Coordinates of all heavy atoms in Angstrom, one line a residue:
S1 N 10.9 234.1 -125.4 CA 9.8 234.2 -126.2 C 9.4 235.8 -126.0 O 9.5 236.3 -125.0 CB 8.6 233.4 -125.6 OG 7.3 233.8 -126.2
N2 N 8.7 236.3 -127.0 CA 8.3 237.7 -126.9 C 6.9 237.8 -126.6 O 6.3 238.9 -126.7 CB 8.5 238.4 -128.3 CG 7.8 237.8 -129.5 OD1 7.0 236.9 -129.2 ND2 8.0 238.1 -130.7
G3 N 6.3 236.9 -126.1 CA 4.8 236.9 -125.4 C 3.8 236.9 -126.5 O 2.7 237.0 -126.3
R4 N 4.1 236.5 -127.7 CA 3.1 236.3 -128.8 C 3.0 234.9 -129.3 O 2.9 234.5 -130.4 CB 3.6 237.2 -130.1 CG 3.6 238.6 -129.7 CD 4.2 239.4 -130.9 NE 3.4 239.5 -132.1 CZ 3.7 239.5 -133.3 NH1 5.0 239.4 -133.5 NH2 2.9 239.5 -134.2
S5 N 3.2 234.1 -128.2 CA 3.2 232.6 -128.5 C 4.0 232.2 -129.7 O 3.6 231.2 -130.4 CB 1.8 232.0 -128.6 OG 1.2 232.6 -129.9
G6 N 5.2 232.7 -129.8 CA 6.2 232.4 -130.8 C 5.8 232.7 -132.2 O 6.5 232.5 -133.1
R7 N 4.7 233.4 -132.4 CA 4.3 233.8 -133.7 C 5.2 234.9 -134.1 O 5.1 236.0 -133.5 CB 2.8 234.2 -133.8 CG 2.3 234.4 -135.2 CD 0.8 234.6 -135.1 NE 0.5 235.8 -134.7 CZ 0.1 236.9 -135.6 NH1 0.3 236.6 -136.9 NH2 -0.2 238.0 -135.1
M8 N 6.0 234.7 -135.3 CA 6.8 235.7 -135.8 C 6.1 236.3 -137.1 O 5.6 235.7 -137.9 CB 8.2 235.1 -136.2 CG 8.9 234.7 -135.0 SD 9.8 236.0 -134.2 CE 11.1 236.6 -135.6
T9 N 6.2 237.6 -137.1 CA 6.0 238.4 -138.3 C 7.0 238.3 -139.3 O 8.2 238.4 -139.0 CB 5.8 239.9 -138.1 OG1 4.8 240.1 -137.0 CG2 5.3 240.6 -139.4
E10 N 6.7 237.7 -140.5 CA 7.7 237.7 -141.5 C 7.1 237.7 -142.8 O 6.3 236.8 -143.2 CB 8.8 236.5 -141.4 CG 9.8 236.7 -142.3 CD 11.1 235.7 -141.9 OE1 11.1 235.4 -140.6 OE2 11.9 235.3 -142.7
I11 N 7.4 238.8 -143.5 CA 6.8 238.9 -144.8 C 8.1 239.2 -145.8 O 8.9 240.0 -145.4 CB 5.8 240.1 -145.0 CG1 4.7 239.8 -144.1 CG2 5.3 240.3 -146.4 CD1 3.7 241.1 -143.9
N12 N 8.1 238.6 -146.9 CA 9.2 238.9 -147.9 C 8.5 238.7 -149.3 O 8.4 237.5 -149.7 CB 10.4 237.9 -147.7 CG 11.6 238.3 -148.5 OD1 11.5 239.1 -149.3 ND2 12.6 237.6 -148.4
T13 N 8.1 239.7 -149.9 CA 7.3 239.6 -151.1 C 7.3 240.9 -152.1 O 8.0 241.8 -151.6 CB 5.7 239.5 -150.6 OG1 5.0 239.1 -151.8 CG2 5.2 240.8 -150.1
W14 N 6.9 240.7 -153.2 CA 6.7 241.9 -154.2 C 5.3 242.4 -154.0 O 4.3 241.8 -153.9 CB 7.0 241.4 -155.5 CG 8.4 241.2 -155.7 CD1 9.1 239.9 -155.6 CD2 9.4 242.1 -156.3 NE1 10.5 240.1 -155.8 CE2 10.6 241.5 -156.3 CE3 9.3 243.4 -156.7 CZ2 11.8 242.2 -156.9 CZ3 10.5 244.2 -157.1 CH2 11.7 243.4 -157.1
V15 N 5.2 243.7 -154.0 CA 3.9 244.3 -154.1 C 3.7 245.1 -155.4 O 4.8 245.7 -156.0 CB 3.9 245.4 -152.9 CG1 2.8 246.2 -153.0 CG2 3.8 244.6 -151.6
A16 N 2.6 245.1 -155.9 CA 2.3 245.8 -157.2 C 2.9 247.2 -157.3 O 2.8 248.0 -156.3 CB 0.8 245.8 -157.5
G17 N 3.5 247.5 -158.5 CA 4.1 248.8 -158.6 C 5.7 248.7 -158.6 O 6.3 249.8 -158.6
G18 N 6.1 247.6 -158.3 CA 7.7 247.5 -158.3 C 8.3 247.5 -156.9 O 9.5 247.9 -156.8
Y19 N 7.6 247.3 -155.8 CA 8.0 247.2 -154.5 C 8.4 246.0 -153.9 O 7.5 245.0 -154.0 CB 7.0 248.0 -153.6 CG 6.8 249.4 -154.0 CD1 5.7 249.7 -154.9 CD2 7.6 250.4 -153.6 CE1 5.3 251.0 -155.1 CE2 7.2 251.9 -154.0 CZ 6.1 252.0 -154.8 OH 5.8 253.4 -155.1
K20 N 9.6 245.8 -153.5 CA 10.1 244.5 -152.8 C 10.0 244.9 -151.3 O 10.6 245.9 -150.9 CB 11.4 244.1 -153.3 CG 11.9 242.8 -152.8 CD 13.2 242.4 -153.3 CE 13.4 240.7 -153.1 NZ 13.2 240.3 -151.7
V21 N 9.3 244.1 -150.7 CA 9.0 244.4 -149.1 C 9.4 243.3 -148.2 O 9.2 242.0 -148.5 CB 7.5 244.6 -149.0 CG1 7.2 245.0 -147.5 CG2 6.9 245.6 -150.0
R22 N 10.2 243.6 -147.3 CA 10.5 242.8 -146.1 C 10.0 243.3 -144.9 O 10.2 244.4 -144.6 CB 12.1 242.5 -146.1 CG 12.7 241.6 -147.2 CD 14.1 241.3 -146.9 NE 14.2 240.5 -145.8 CZ 15.3 240.6 -144.9 NH1 16.2 241.5 -145.1 NH2 15.3 239.8 -143.9
V23 N 9.3 242.4 -144.1 CA 8.9 242.8 -142.8 C 9.2 241.7 -141.8 O 9.0 240.6 -142.1 CB 7.3 242.9 -142.8 CG1 6.7 243.4 -141.5 CG2 6.9 243.8 -143.9
F24 N 9.8 242.2 -140.6 CA 10.0 241.2 -139.5 C 9.9 241.9 -138.2 O 10.1 243.1 -138.2 CB 11.4 240.4 -139.8 CG 12.5 241.3 -140.1 CD1 13.3 241.8 -139.0 CD2 12.9 241.5 -141.3 CE1 14.4 242.6 -139.2 CE2 14.1 242.4 -141.5 CZ 14.8 242.8 -140.6
D25 N 9.9 241.1 -137.2 CA 9.8 241.6 -135.9 C 11.1 242.1 -135.5 O 12.1 241.5 -135.7 CB 9.4 240.4 -134.8 CG 8.0 240.0 -134.9 OD1 7.3 240.8 -135.4 OD2 7.7 238.8 -134.4
W26 N 11.0 243.4 -134.9 CA 12.3 244.0 -134.5 C 12.7 243.3 -133.1 O 12.0 242.7 -132.4 CB 12.1 245.4 -134.3 CG 13.5 246.4 -134.1 CD1 13.6 247.2 -133.1 CD2 14.4 246.6 -135.1 NE1 14.9 247.7 -133.4 CE2 15.4 247.3 -134.5 CE3 14.7 246.0 -136.3 CZ2 16.5 247.7 -135.3 CZ3 15.8 246.3 -137.0 CH2 16.7 247.1 -136.4
I27 N 14.1 243.5 -132.8 CA 14.7 242.8 -131.8 C 14.2 243.3 -130.4 O 14.2 242.4 -129.4 CB 16.2 243.0 -131.8 CG1 16.9 242.0 -130.9 CG2 16.6 244.3 -131.4 CD1 18.3 241.6 -131.3
D28 N 13.6 244.4 -130.3 CA 13.0 244.8 -128.9 C 11.7 244.2 -128.6 O 11.2 244.3 -127.6 CB 12.9 246.3 -129.0 CG 11.9 246.9 -130.0 OD1 11.2 246.1 -130.6 OD2 11.9 248.2 -130.1
G29 N 11.1 243.4 -129.5 CA 9.8 242.8 -129.3 C 8.7 243.8 -129.3 O 7.5 243.4 -129.0
K30 N 8.8 245.0 -129.5 CA 7.8 246.0 -129.5 C 7.4 246.6 -130.8 O 6.4 247.3 -130.9 CB 8.2 247.1 -128.4 CG 8.4 246.8 -127.0 CD 8.7 247.9 -126.2 CE 8.9 247.4 -124.7 NZ 10.3 247.7 -124.2
N31 N 8.4 246.4 -131.8 CA 8.2 247.1 -133.1 C 8.3 246.0 -134.1 O 8.8 244.9 -134.0 CB 9.2 248.1 -133.2 CG 9.0 249.4 -132.4 OD1 8.2 250.1 -132.5 ND2 9.8 249.5 -131.2
I32 N 7.8 246.5 -135.3 CA 8.1 245.7 -136.5 C 9.0 246.6 -137.5 O 8.8 247.7 -137.6 CB 6.7 245.5 -137.3 CG1 6.0 244.5 -136.5 CG2 7.0 244.9 -138.8 CD1 4.5 244.3 -137.1
Y33 N 10.0 245.9 -138.1 CA 11.0 246.4 -139.0 C 10.4 246.3 -140.5 O 10.0 245.2 -140.9 CB 12.3 245.8 -138.9 CG 13.3 246.5 -139.9 CD1 13.9 247.7 -139.7 CD2 13.7 245.9 -141.1 CE1 14.8 248.2 -140.5 CE2 14.5 246.3 -142.0 CZ 15.3 247.6 -141.7 OH 16.0 248.0 -142.5
L34 N 10.2 247.3 -141.2 CA 9.7 247.2 -142.6 C 10.6 247.8 -143.6 O 11.0 249.1 -143.3 CB 8.4 248.0 -142.6 CG 7.5 248.3 -143.9 CD1 7.2 246.9 -144.5 CD2 6.4 249.1 -143.7
H35 N 11.1 247.2 -144.5 CA 12.1 247.7 -145.5 C 11.5 247.5 -146.8 O 11.1 246.4 -147.3 CB 13.3 246.8 -145.5 CG 14.5 247.3 -146.3 ND1 15.3 248.5 -146.1 CD2 14.8 247.0 -147.6 CE1 16.0 248.6 -147.2 NE2 15.8 247.8 -148.0
I36 N 11.5 248.6 -147.6 CA 10.9 248.7 -149.0 C 11.8 249.1 -149.9 O 12.5 250.3 -149.7 CB 9.6 249.7 -148.9 CG1 8.7 249.4 -147.9 CG2 9.1 249.8 -150.3 CD1 7.6 250.5 -147.5
E37 N 12.0 248.5 -151.1 CA 12.8 248.8 -152.2 C 11.9 249.1 -153.4 O 11.1 248.2 -153.7 CB 13.8 247.7 -152.6 CG 14.9 247.4 -151.3 CD 15.8 246.2 -151.6 OE1 15.5 245.5 -152.6 OE2 16.7 246.2 -150.9
Y38 N 12.2 250.1 -154.1 CA 11.4 250.4 -155.3 C 12.3 250.1 -156.6 O 13.5 250.7 -156.6 CB 11.0 251.8 -155.2 CG 10.3 252.1 -156.6 CD1 9.2 251.6 -157.0 CD2 11.1 253.1 -157.4 CE1 8.5 252.0 -158.3 CE2 10.5 253.4 -158.7 CZ 9.3 252.8 -159.1 OH 8.7 253.1 -160.4
Y39 N 11.8 249.4 -157.5 CA 12.5 249.2 -158.7 C 11.8 249.7 -159.9 O 10.6 249.4 -159.9 CB 12.9 247.7 -158.9 CG 13.9 247.1 -158.0 CD1 13.4 246.5 -156.7 CD2 15.2 247.1 -158.4 CE1 14.3 245.9 -155.9 CE2 16.1 246.5 -157.4 CZ 15.6 245.9 -156.2 OH 16.6 245.4 -155.2
H40 N 12.5 250.5 -160.7 CA 11.7 250.9 -161.9 C 11.2 249.7 -162.7 O 12.1 248.7 -162.9 CB 12.6 251.7 -162.8 CG 12.8 253.1 -162.2 ND1 12.0 254.0 -161.9 CD2 14.1 253.7 -161.8 CE1 12.5 255.1 -161.4 NE2 13.7 254.9 -161.2
P41 N 10.1 249.8 -163.5 CA 9.7 248.6 -164.3 C 10.8 248.3 -165.2 O 11.4 249.2 -165.9 CB 8.5 249.2 -165.0 CG 8.0 250.3 -164.2 CD 9.2 251.0 -163.5
G42 N 11.0 247.0 -165.3 CA 12.1 246.4 -166.2 C 13.5 246.5 -165.8 O 14.5 246.2 -166.5
A43 N 13.7 247.2 -164.6 CA 15.1 247.4 -164.2 C 15.7 246.2 -163.7 O 14.9 245.1 -163.2 CB 15.1 248.4 -163.0
S44 N 16.9 245.9 -163.8 CA 17.7 244.7 -163.4 C 17.8 244.7 -162.0 O 18.1 245.7 -161.3 CB 19.1 244.8 -164.0 OG 19.9 243.7 -163.4
L45 N 17.4 243.6 -161.4 CA 17.4 243.4 -160.0 C 18.9 243.1 -159.4 O 19.1 243.2 -158.2 CB 16.7 242.1 -159.5 CG 15.2 242.2 -160.0 CD1 14.4 241.2 -159.4 CD2 14.6 243.5 -159.4
S46 N 19.9 243.1 -160.4 CA 21.3 243.0 -159.9 C 21.8 244.5 -159.7 O 22.9 244.5 -159.1 CB 22.1 242.3 -161.1 OG 22.1 243.1 -162.1
R47 N 21.1 245.4 -160.0 CA 21.5 246.8 -159.6 C 20.7 247.3 -158.4 O 19.6 246.8 -158.1 CB 21.2 247.7 -160.8 CG 22.1 247.3 -162.0 CD 22.0 248.2 -163.2 NE 22.0 249.5 -162.9 CZ 21.6 250.5 -163.6 NH1 20.9 250.2 -164.7 NH2 21.8 251.8 -163.1
P48 N 21.3 248.3 -157.7 CA 20.5 248.8 -156.5 C 19.2 249.3 -156.9 O 18.9 249.7 -158.1 CB 21.4 249.9 -156.0 CG 22.8 249.7 -156.6 CD 22.6 248.9 -157.9
P49 N 18.2 249.3 -155.9 CA 16.9 249.8 -156.3 C 17.0 251.3 -156.4 O 17.9 252.1 -156.0 CB 16.1 249.5 -154.9 CG 17.2 249.3 -153.8 CD 18.3 248.8 -154.6
A50 N 15.9 251.8 -157.1 CA 15.9 253.2 -157.4 C 15.6 254.1 -156.1 O 16.2 255.2 -156.0 CB 14.8 253.6 -158.3
R51 N 14.9 253.5 -155.3 CA 14.7 254.1 -153.8 C 14.5 253.0 -152.9 O 14.1 251.9 -153.1 CB 13.4 254.9 -153.9 CG 13.5 256.2 -154.5 CD 12.4 257.1 -154.2 NE 11.1 256.6 -154.6 CZ 9.9 256.7 -153.8 NH1 10.0 257.5 -152.8 NH2 8.8 256.3 -154.2
E52 N 15.1 253.4 -151.6 CA 14.6 252.3 -150.6 C 14.5 253.2 -149.3 O 15.0 254.2 -149.1 CB 15.7 251.2 -150.4 CG 17.1 251.7 -150.2 CD 18.1 250.5 -150.0 OE1 17.7 249.4 -149.3 OE2 19.1 250.5 -150.7
K53 N 13.6 252.6 -148.4 CA 13.4 253.2 -147.1 C 13.1 252.1 -146.1 O 12.6 251.0 -146.5 CB 12.1 254.0 -147.2 CG 12.1 255.3 -148.0 CD 10.8 256.2 -147.8 CE 10.9 257.5 -148.7 NZ 9.7 258.4 -148.4
S54 N 13.4 252.4 -144.9 CA 13.2 251.6 -143.8 C 12.4 252.3 -142.7 O 12.5 253.4 -142.5 CB 14.5 251.1 -143.1 OG 15.4 250.6 -144.1
F55 N 11.5 251.4 -142.0 CA 10.7 252.0 -141.1 C 10.6 251.1 -139.8 O 10.7 249.8 -139.9 CB 9.2 252.1 -141.6 CG 9.2 252.9 -142.7 CD1 9.2 252.3 -144.0 CD2 8.9 254.3 -142.7 CE1 9.2 253.0 -145.2 CE2 8.7 255.1 -143.9 CZ 8.9 254.4 -145.2
L56 N 10.4 251.7 -138.6 CA 10.1 251.0 -137.4 C 8.7 251.2 -137.0 O 8.3 252.4 -136.8 CB 11.1 251.3 -136.3 CG 12.3 250.5 -136.2 CD1 13.2 250.9 -134.9 CD2 12.1 249.0 -136.2
L57 N 7.8 250.3 -137.1 CA 6.6 250.6 -136.7 C 6.0 249.7 -135.5 O 6.4 248.6 -135.3 CB 5.5 250.1 -137.9 CG 6.0 250.8 -139.3 CD1 5.0 250.3 -140.5 CD2 5.6 252.4 -139.2
P58 N 5.1 250.2 -134.7 CA 4.6 249.5 -133.5 C 4.0 248.2 -133.9 O 3.3 248.1 -134.9 CB 3.5 250.4 -132.9 CG 3.6 251.9 -133.5 CD 4.4 251.5 -134.9
L59 N 4.3 247.2 -133.0 CA 3.7 245.9 -133.3 C 2.2 245.9 -133.3 O 1.7 245.0 -134.1 CB 4.1 245.0 -132.1 CG 4.4 243.5 -132.2 CD1 5.3 243.2 -133.4 CD2 4.8 242.9 -131.0
S60 N 1.5 246.9 -132.8 CA 0.1 246.8 -133.0 C -0.3 247.1 -134.4 O -1.5 246.9 -134.8 CB -0.5 248.0 -132.0 OG 0.2 249.2 -132.4
E61 N 0.5 247.5 -135.2 CA 0.3 247.9 -136.6 C 0.4 246.5 -137.5 O -0.1 246.6 -138.6 CB 1.2 248.8 -137.2 CG 1.1 250.3 -136.6 CD -0.1 250.9 -137.0 OE1 -0.4 251.2 -138.0 OE2 -1.0 251.2 -136.0
E62 N 0.8 245.5 -136.9 CA 1.0 244.2 -137.6 C -0.1 243.9 -138.4 O -0.1 243.5 -139.6 CB 1.5 243.1 -136.7 CG 2.1 241.9 -137.4 CD 1.1 240.8 -137.5 OE1 0.0 240.9 -136.9 OE2 1.4 239.8 -138.3
P63 N -1.3 243.7 -137.8 CA -2.7 243.3 -138.6 C -2.9 244.1 -139.8 O -3.2 243.7 -140.9 CB -3.7 243.3 -137.5 CG -3.1 243.2 -136.3 CD -1.8 243.9 -136.4
K64 N -2.7 245.5 -139.7 CA -2.9 246.4 -140.8 C -1.9 246.2 -141.9 O -2.1 246.2 -143.0 CB -2.8 247.9 -140.2 CG -3.1 248.8 -141.3 CD -2.8 250.2 -140.8 CE -3.5 250.6 -139.6 NZ -3.3 252.2 -139.2
I65 N -0.5 246.0 -141.4 CA 0.4 245.7 -142.5 C 0.2 244.4 -143.2 O 0.3 244.4 -144.4 CB 1.8 245.6 -141.7 CG1 2.2 247.0 -141.1 CG2 2.9 245.2 -142.7 CD1 3.4 247.1 -140.1
R66 N -0.3 243.4 -142.5 CA -0.5 242.1 -143.1 C -1.7 242.2 -144.1 O -1.7 241.7 -145.2 CB -0.7 241.1 -142.1 CG -0.7 239.6 -142.5 CD -0.7 238.7 -141.4 NE 0.3 238.5 -140.6 CZ 1.4 237.9 -140.9 NH1 1.5 237.3 -142.2 NH2 2.6 237.8 -140.2
N67 N -2.8 242.9 -143.6 CA -4.0 242.8 -144.3 C -4.0 243.9 -145.5 O -4.7 243.9 -146.5 CB -5.2 243.0 -143.4 CG -5.4 241.8 -142.5 OD1 -5.2 240.8 -142.8 ND2 -5.7 242.2 -141.2
F68 N -3.3 245.0 -145.3 CA -3.3 246.1 -146.3 C -1.9 246.5 -146.7 O -1.6 247.6 -146.9 CB -4.0 247.2 -145.6 CG -5.4 247.0 -145.1 CD1 -5.7 246.8 -143.8 CD2 -6.5 246.8 -146.0 CE1 -6.8 246.4 -143.3 CE2 -7.8 246.5 -145.5 CZ -7.9 246.4 -144.1
L69 N -1.2 245.4 -147.0 CA 0.3 245.7 -147.3 C 0.4 246.5 -148.5 O 1.3 247.5 -148.3 CB 0.9 244.4 -147.6 CG 2.5 244.3 -147.8 CD1 3.1 244.8 -146.6 CD2 3.0 243.1 -148.3
H70 N -0.3 246.5 -149.6 CA -0.1 247.3 -150.7 C -0.4 248.8 -150.4 O 0.4 249.7 -150.6 CB -1.0 247.0 -151.8 CG -0.9 247.7 -153.1 ND1 -1.6 248.7 -153.5 CD2 0.0 247.6 -154.1 CE1 -1.2 249.2 -154.6 NE2 -0.1 248.6 -154.9
S71 N -1.4 249.1 -149.7 CA -1.9 250.4 -149.3 C -0.7 251.0 -148.3 O -0.4 252.2 -148.4 CB -3.1 250.4 -148.6 OG -4.2 250.0 -149.4
V72 N -0.2 250.2 -147.5 CA 0.7 250.6 -146.4 C 2.1 251.1 -147.2 O 2.6 252.1 -146.9 CB 1.0 249.5 -145.3 CG1 2.2 249.9 -144.5 CG2 -0.2 249.4 -144.4
V73 N 2.4 250.1 -148.0 CA 3.6 250.4 -148.8 C 3.6 251.6 -149.6 O 4.4 252.6 -149.5 CB 3.9 249.1 -149.7 CG1 5.1 249.4 -150.8 CG2 4.5 248.0 -148.9
I74 N 2.5 251.9 -150.3 CA 2.4 253.0 -151.2 C 2.3 254.2 -150.3 O 3.0 255.3 -150.6 CB 1.1 252.8 -152.0 CG1 1.1 251.6 -152.9 CG2 0.8 254.2 -152.8 CD1 2.2 251.7 -154.1
G75 N 1.6 254.3 -149.2 CA 1.4 255.4 -148.3 C 2.7 255.7 -147.8 O 3.1 257.0 -147.7
L76 N 3.5 254.7 -147.3 CA 4.9 255.1 -146.8 C 5.8 255.5 -147.7 O 6.6 256.5 -147.4 CB 5.4 253.9 -146.0 CG 4.8 253.3 -144.7 CD1 5.4 252.0 -144.4 CD2 5.1 254.3 -143.7
M77 N 5.9 255.1 -148.9 CA 6.8 255.4 -149.9 C 6.5 256.9 -150.5 O 7.4 257.5 -151.0 CB 7.0 254.4 -151.0 CG 7.6 253.1 -150.7 SD 9.2 253.3 -149.9 CE 10.2 253.4 -151.5
E78 N 5.3 257.3 -150.3 CA 4.9 258.6 -150.6 C 5.0 259.7 -149.7 O 4.8 261.0 -149.9 CB 3.4 258.6 -151.4 CG 3.3 257.9 -152.7 CD 2.1 257.8 -153.2 OE1 0.9 258.2 -152.5 OE2 1.8 257.1 -154.3
M79 N 5.4 259.2 -148.5 CA 5.6 260.2 -147.3 C 6.8 260.9 -147.5 O 7.8 260.3 -148.0 CB 5.7 259.4 -146.1 CG 4.6 259.7 -145.1 SD 4.9 258.8 -143.6 CE 3.6 257.7 -143.3
P80 N 7.0 262.1 -146.9 CA 8.2 262.8 -146.9 C 9.3 262.0 -146.1 O 9.0 261.2 -145.2 CB 7.9 264.2 -146.2 CG 6.5 264.2 -146.3 CD 5.9 262.9 -146.4
D81 N 10.5 262.1 -146.5 CA 11.7 261.4 -145.8 C 11.8 261.6 -144.5 O 12.5 260.7 -143.9 CB 13.0 261.8 -146.7 CG 13.0 261.0 -148.1 OD1 12.2 260.2 -148.3 OD2 13.8 261.4 -148.7
V82 N 11.2 262.6 -143.8 CA 11.5 262.9 -142.4 C 10.9 261.6 -141.6 O 11.2 261.4 -140.5 CB 10.7 264.1 -141.9 CG1 11.6 265.3 -142.4 CG2 9.4 264.2 -142.4
Q83 N 9.9 260.8 -142.2 CA 9.3 259.7 -141.6 C 10.2 258.5 -141.5 O 9.7 257.5 -140.8 CB 8.0 259.4 -142.3 CG 7.0 260.6 -142.3 CD 6.5 260.8 -140.9 OE1 6.5 260.0 -140.1 NE2 6.0 262.1 -140.6
T84 N 11.3 258.3 -142.2 CA 12.0 257.1 -142.2 C 12.9 256.9 -140.9 O 13.2 257.8 -140.3 CB 12.9 257.1 -143.5 OG1 14.0 258.2 -143.4 CG2 12.1 257.2 -144.8
A85 N 13.2 255.7 -140.7 CA 14.0 255.2 -139.5 C 15.4 255.6 -139.8 O 16.1 255.5 -138.8 CB 13.7 253.9 -139.3
K86 N 15.8 255.6 -141.0 CA 17.3 255.7 -141.3 C 17.8 257.2 -140.9 O 17.1 258.2 -141.2 CB 17.5 255.7 -142.7 CG 17.5 254.2 -143.2 CD 18.0 254.0 -144.6 CE 18.2 252.6 -145.0 NZ 18.4 252.3 -146.3

């Protein structure tokens, strides 16, 4: 157990603007892994996304991510690439 009474963070959803978002607990138990893929409007999902970024964020950010997912996604995707985990 990771000390969170078994409660796992798991989000797999679309966010307005063409963003496909996956969020889950990172293996270290201290961070959350956030993966965002951006698809142009009308683009085929069988093709790679136009842009994608991955982030490791502190577990303490989980309520903010869950409650303000759209704002978090837009904010992260508009940040310079130096912020990415890749």
Side-chain angles (χ1 to χ4, degrees):
S1 170
N2 58 8
R4 297 171 73 215
S5 65
R7 190 171 79 94
M8 291 278 293
T9 304
E10 193 158 335
I11 300 172
N12 191 354
T13 190
W14 284 89
V15 170
Y19 297 98
K20 189 173 195 312
V21 185
R22 287 188 63 216
V23 183
F24 52 86
D25 289 339
W26 194 240
I27 197 154
D28 64 5
K30 299 183 180 119
N31 291 286
I32 291 175
Y33 179 80
L34 176 62
H35 185 79
I36 307 168
E37 297 179 342
Y38 170 71
Y39 290 90
H40 290 301
S44 167
L45 299 185
S46 61
R47 296 180 56 200
R51 283 197 302 149
E52 60 183 311
K53 290 187 182 183
S54 301
F55 304 88
L56 273 181
L57 303 173
L59 208 51
S60 58
E61 296 289 298
E62 192 262 353
K64 188 192 297 182
I65 293 167
R66 190 175 289 283
N67 294 321
F68 303 103
L69 186 62
H70 184 261
S71 300
V72 169
V73 166
I74 299 298
L76 288 172
M77 290 303 274
E78 289 177 355
M79 238 189 241
D81 282 347
V82 290
Q83 298 290 334
T84 62
K86 281 187 174 171

